[in-house]
Amino acid sequence: MSILEVSHIRKTFGRTEVLRDISFSLNKGDVVSIIGSSGSGKTTLLRCLNFLETPDEGTIKVNDELLFDAADPTSMKESEVRKKRLHFGLVFQSFNLFPQYTAMENVMLAKKLLAKQEPGYSKEKLAEIEAQAKDLLRQMGLADRMDNYPHQLSGGQCQRVAIARALALQPDILCFDEPTSALDPELTGEVLRVIRELADQGHTMVIVTHEMAFARDVASHVIFMADGVIVEQGNPKDVIDNPQSERARAFLQKVQH
C-alpha cells in the first residue's frame, strides 16, 4: 500500500497555472527527488502537500486516508488542517527557525504546544520532550550547540536544527525544499550527509533538489518537472542518465556542466 498518493493536483495563482494534473505515489521508505528548473512548480507542490497552499483540484492521501479533496470544502477546515500537517515534516530552504529561541527550544516547540493541548500535561511530559530534542540534536552532530540561538550558528547548523525540528513530531513523510540552496559547498556536504543517513534509516522523503549526484545516489525515484507538469519520472539512473524528453535532456545538460 502506498504511504502517499497524490492524484491530479492542479494549482493556479490568478491566471497562472502553476501545477497541472500532478500525480505520483510513494511507498514507505521511498526517497523521491523532484528536479527541474526554477519556476517549474516544485516548491508549490511541496507547499500543497503540507497544506500551506490549497490545490484547486485533486486529492492527497496518506496511509490510504483521504487528507484533501478539492471537491470537498470541509477537507480544508483549519482545525483539521493542523492535524493533517502532522503527517508531514517540512524543512525549508531558508531554515525558518525562530530567532528568539535556542536550537533546543526550536526543536521542542511544536511538540510542547501540542502536548499542552492534551489532558495530563506534566513536568514529566516536558522532560520527555526535552530528552527527545537532545537526542535529535545529538544525531545532527549538534550536542555542543543546543543552547545557541540561530544567529550563533552557521547555515549548515541551522539547517540541521530545522531537520531535527521536522523529525520531532515523527511525521510519516519528510519534505525538503531545496535544503542546501542557501549553503556554501562545505555546508552543503554536511546537510546532504544527514539526509543520506535518514534515507539509510528508512525515512520516507520527498526532496526538491538541484544536487543531481545526490538525487542519483540517494533517491529511489526521480520526478522531473517543467512548467507545472511532470515530464518524466522513474528510476534515478534512467531519468538523470538517460532522459527521454528533450526538456529533461536540456535541463540536465545545463546543470551537470
Side-chain angles (χ1 to χ4, degrees):
M1 183 181 72
S2 298
I3 192 170
L4 173 67
E5 294 181 44
V6 177
S7 301
H8 307 295
I9 292 294
R10 177 176 173 269
K11 176 65 180 174
T12 59
F13 292 111
R15 295 183 178 181
T16 304
E17 198 171 28
V18 181
L19 297 175
R20 294 184 284 159
D21 199 26
I22 299 294
S23 297
F24 69 94
S25 64
L26 62 153
N27 297 320
K28 186 174 177 59
D30 282 351
V31 178
V32 174
S33 286
I34 304 177
I35 64 174
S37 59
S38 297
S40 60
K42 306 183 301 296
T43 292
T44 300
L45 175 56
L46 276 196
R47 290 178 65 83
C48 286
L49 291 182
N50 286 271
F51 303 100
L52 298 174
E53 301 288 353
T54 305
D56 302 311
E57 296 176 7
T59 62
I60 299 171
K61 289 183 179 180
V62 173
N63 292 324
D64 213 29
E65 176 189 354
L66 183 62
L67 297 189
F68 173 80
D69 182 353
D72 179 8
T74 64
S75 68
M76 286 306 289
K77 286 183 179 178
E78 184 57 35
S79 59
E80 293 301 311
V81 167
R82 285 196 294 268
K83 295 176 186 175
K84 293 170 182 179
R85 284 190 183 128
L86 298 178
H87 290 284
F88 300 89
L90 178 58
V91 179
F92 300 88
Q93 58 183 310
S94 55
F95 326 133
N96 282 27
L97 299 179
F98 292 100
Q100 71 272 36
Y101 295 139
T102 65
M104 170 87 76
E105 290 166 340
N106 265 281
V107 176
M108 292 177 62
L109 182 61
K111 197 157 190 178
K112 186 176 173 182
L113 291 173
L114 286 170
K116 283 184 175 180
Q117 297 173 16
E118 299 295 329
Y121 180 72
S122 62
K123 290 182 179 179
E124 289 76 15
K125 184 62 177 178
L126 179 61
E128 179 185 316
I129 294 169
E130 183 175 329
Q132 182 212 29
K134 287 180 177 178
D135 285 343
L136 287 170
L137 287 168
R138 288 190 192 102
Q139 288 177 37
M140 298 297 117
L142 296 170
D144 59 342
R145 295 288 189 171
M146 296 184 186
D147 296 325
N148 288 155
Y149 291 89
H151 74 272
Q152 297 172 311
L153 301 172
S154 71
Q157 290 168 338
C158 283
Q159 196 61 296
R160 283 182 277 153
V161 174
I163 294 171
R165 179 180 62 184
L167 287 165
L169 293 174
Q170 299 173 310
D172 293 298
I173 302 157
L174 283 170
C175 298
F176 296 84
D177 184 13
E178 297 187 24
T180 61
S181 63
L183 306 177
D184 64 34
E186 182 179 353
L187 299 180
T188 291
E190 290 180 13
V191 173
L192 292 181
R193 279 194 295 274
V194 169
I195 299 174
R196 193 183 297 268
E197 288 170 4
L198 294 174
D200 291 341
Q201 292 165 14
H203 288 276
T204 307
M205 297 189 282
V206 178
I207 307 170
V208 171
T209 183
H210 286 294
E211 300 289 337
M212 294 302 109
F214 175 78
R216 183 193 292 108
D217 294 343
V218 175
S220 53
H221 192 81
V222 170
I223 293 172
F224 171 70
M225 291 183 64
D227 298 327
V229 174
I230 294 178
V231 178
E232 287 193 46
Q233 59 176 314
N235 180 283
K237 292 185 178 178
D238 289 341
V239 175
I240 295 175
D241 295 337
N242 189 32
Q244 299 302 300
S245 69
E246 183 59 37
R247 294 293 299 272
R249 284 195 293 270
F251 168 77
L252 289 161
Q253 187 174 31
K254 182 178 179 181
V255 298
Q256 291 177 326
H257 292 90

